[in-house]
Amino acid sequence: MSLSSKHQPLVHMQNIVKEYFIGDQVIRALNDVTLDIWPGEFVAIMGPSGSGKSTMMNVMGCLDVPTSGTYVLDGVAVSTLSEDELASVRNQKIGFIFQSFNLLPRTTALENVELPMLYMGVPPRQRRERAMEALEQVGLKERAYNRPNELSGGQQQRVAIARALVNQPNIILGDEPTGALDSKTTEDILALLHQLHGQGNTIILVTHDAEVGRHAERVIRFRDGRVESDTAAAYEGER
């Protein structure tokens, strides 16, 4: 159950620093980042290559831990968790969408969507029912038994979105989720994300694409490991 409310941020980051060591050189990928993201927001995290946005995604998605600072996700101080605890938080609180879809090639769409529930020990019948519901939510129920190579790029990304949704996470976190898609399919996927946002989902997209960023209601721009700007920009397209 989510602990966040309109009075408490879903993501709270305070003075986050992330350093990497290359030989005797220290690279500070994130430099004293402080930000809050609230339940129900649609946020784009943007910036040029090397700006820190990908490192921010890894920290925010519990794929990496900060060198220093405080990260609280839905009331949980994740910056202090063990690897096993981080894995549990990732599976329960975050639904990931990747540029390369990250689907298992030899399994059906339905089985790919079931995967996060398998890690949680959900019984087989319940897994199948919830996975089918998630596929129906993204308009792909009729392709449930197709393998990824039998689906278009846009359909594969819809399967990935269904997989991200199936555990009812607090955040849907997309890493360049339209980067491998043509412009028409990109618009279709963004329309689906707007639909999910309209149902109350918190959407965070990490992207370098200005057109994708235009769809967000809030844009956080990174440069040199810092937040350069944080602006609200109401989406003007069709909902």
Side-chain angles (χ1 to χ4, degrees):
M1 176 184 287
S2 172
L3 299 176
S4 294
S5 71
K6 63 182 180 180
H7 302 298
Q8 178 181 343
L10 180 56
V11 168
H12 171 67
M13 292 185 162
Q14 185 79 35
N15 305 121
I16 294 291
V17 171
K18 180 62 185 179
E19 295 177 335
Y20 297 100
F21 294 87
I22 302 176
D24 58 357
Q25 186 179 12
V26 179
I27 305 297
R28 182 165 283 198
L30 294 176
N31 191 359
D32 198 30
V33 173
T34 294
L35 62 84
D36 290 332
I37 295 176
W38 298 83
E41 285 198 286
F42 192 147
V43 178
I45 295 177
M46 303 188 68
S49 178
S51 64
K53 67 182 188 299
S54 295
T55 303
M56 172 54 62
M57 188 214 73
N58 288 337
V59 171
M60 192 175 291
C62 301
L63 297 166
D64 203 351
V65 293
T67 304
S68 62
T70 301
Y71 176 24
V72 179
L73 171 60
D74 193 30
V76 177
V78 296
S79 48
T80 64
L81 299 182
S82 68
E83 284 295 326
D84 287 346
E85 290 169 331
L86 281 173
S88 178
V89 168
R90 280 196 301 271
N91 196 41
Q92 294 177 30
K93 295 185 179 293
I94 303 168
F96 291 95
I97 311 169
F98 298 99
Q99 177 176 340
S100 57
F101 317 137
N102 284 13
L103 301 178
L104 298 178
R106 294 187 175 88
T107 60
T108 65
L110 185 66
E111 290 166 334
N112 269 285
V113 176
E114 286 184 49
L115 198 58
M117 294 181 288
L118 187 64
Y119 295 140
M120 290 184 67
V122 177
R125 182 174 178 179
Q126 187 178 349
R127 284 202 310 266
R128 181 128 318 187
E129 289 174 354
R130 284 171 53 183
M132 194 64 82
E133 288 172 2
L135 283 170
E136 185 173 16
Q137 192 173 358
V138 301
L140 274 188
K141 185 177 181 180
E142 75 283 359
R143 306 304 296 269
Y145 297 100
N146 289 99
R147 289 180 170 78
N149 66 358
E150 299 170 321
L151 302 172
S152 69
Q155 289 171 332
Q156 289 183 63
Q157 195 59 296
R158 285 176 180 267
V159 173
I161 292 171
R163 182 184 59 195
L165 287 170
V166 76
N167 275 344
Q168 298 180 320
N170 302 93
I171 294 172
I172 298 173
L173 182 58
D175 181 17
E176 300 284 3
T178 61
L181 305 174
D182 61 48
S183 57
K184 173 61 170 67
T185 308
T186 291
E187 287 297 320
D188 291 343
I189 293 299
L190 289 169
L192 174 58
L193 290 172
H194 276 292
Q195 177 185 333
L196 296 172
H197 174 240
Q199 295 167 5
N201 290 284
T202 304
I203 312 285
I204 303 173
L205 303 184
V206 178
T207 182
H208 70 278
D209 188 333
E211 279 301 302
V212 174
R214 185 180 63 82
H215 284 256
E217 295 180 334
R218 177 183 173 194
V219 177
I220 302 172
R221 296 186 183 275
F222 275 76
R223 185 174 293 276
D224 299 328
R226 295 178 179 273
V227 174
E228 180 182 50
S229 64
D230 185 347
T231 58
Y235 174 60
E236 296 178 354
E238 283 189 27
R239 295 282 178 154

